[in-house]
Structures are given as structure tokens and as C-alpha cells.
Amino acid sequence: GYGSDNNARFRIHDTKVMPEFFETHFTFRNRKRDIEINYDKAGAFKSETNIPPENRGKRPAVPAKLKAKALDPISAIIYAHLQLKAGKKNLVIPVYDGRRRFNAVVKIAGKENGLIKLNYTEEMVAGFTGNEKKQRDEIKATIDFYIDAKTYL
């Protein structure tokens, strides 16, 4: 089975999000994993705990320089909201989830039925296993979100 419980703590200043803490506790194929990420006062990556440790034979480590300015997944969602509200139409957000570093790409793709259509894709950067790379190359998934500008933006 699969299940996930995620928590984050962050500060917001204007349209900037400064993460402080992120944790995820999840089960995938009946295996449990706990990840915690801590950030410094400026919102830059500071440390992480990953239990059980990753099998580096399958999943390559993400270099420290790629983690430095990346947001956790929850802070990235808040950042996207603030940027869209400020009028941005295309976003590339660096994200580190404790295992993988990717760019979350959010684009305003027009309007449908009075709603704003957003396209969401992910660009792989580091930390992906061979199977994950193969699956993502084959699928090339785009998720469409529809939001009401009156209530969301």
C-alpha cells in the first residue's frame, strides 16, 4: 500500500517563502520511510535525516549545491500561489523532497469555463533511480489544474 503524511513550517515575506522545516512519513510497497529536512534562518538547506538510509547503489545522492536553494514540496506550492497571485505566468521552482531534486514547472495555459488552467510538469535534476528516469521519460506527465481567480488569486 501507499500512504503519506507531510508537514512543513515556513515564513512568508512578500512573495518569498523561507522554509524552516519539512517532514514526510510515507509507506510505499509496504516499506516505511521517514524524512526530515531542516533549513537555516534564510531558508537555505541545512540538514536532513532519511530513515532508513537510501541505497546509493540504486538512488544517487543529490549534491549539496543542488539542495541549497531548493524548496520542500509544501513550501513550493505556497511559493507558486504567491507568484501567480503577483502576476507571474510561468514558474520554474527548484524542489528537493529529501530524495530527489526536480524543477516544478507551472504555466498558466489559458482559461476554460471561466477558470484559469495551469499546467504542472516536473523536470528531473538529480537523485532519480534508473526506473524512475525510465518511467518519467516514457510518461512525460502533465497535470492540469483549474483554479478560480476570484478565490485563489
Side-chain angles (χ1 to χ4, degrees), residues 2-8 21-28 31-37 49-51 74 97:
Y2 176 81
S4 179
D5 180 26
N6 304 279
N7 297 294
F21 176 78
F22 171 76
E23 67 180 347
T24 182
H25 309 282
F26 67 92
T27 304
F28 181 68
R31 288 186 229 146
K32 293 183 179 185
R33 179 166 300 280
D34 297 311
I35 296 171
E36 291 184 3
I37 303 173
T49 305
N50 199 329
I51 300 172
I74 295 174
D97 67 3

Side-chain angles (χ1 to χ4, degrees), residues 114-129:
L115 299 173
I116 296 172
K117 180 180 179 181
L118 300 175
N119 294 141
Y120 174 86
T121 57
E122 291 180 357
E123 299 172 341
M124 295 180 288
V125 176
F128 289 84
T129 66

Side-chain angles (χ1 to χ4, degrees), residues 8-42:
R9 187 174 56 247
F10 50 85
R11 291 174 290 121
I12 297 173
H13 180 71
D14 294 324
T15 58
K16 185 173 181 182
V17 177
M18 292 159 288
E20 296 176 344
F21 176 78
F22 171 76
E23 67 180 347
T24 182
H25 309 282
F26 67 92
T27 304
F28 181 68
R29 295 183 181 154
N30 296 317
R31 288 186 229 146
K32 293 183 179 185
R33 179 166 300 280
D34 297 311
I35 296 171
E36 291 184 3
I37 303 173
N38 290 288
Y39 300 86
D40 65 19
K41 290 183 181 186

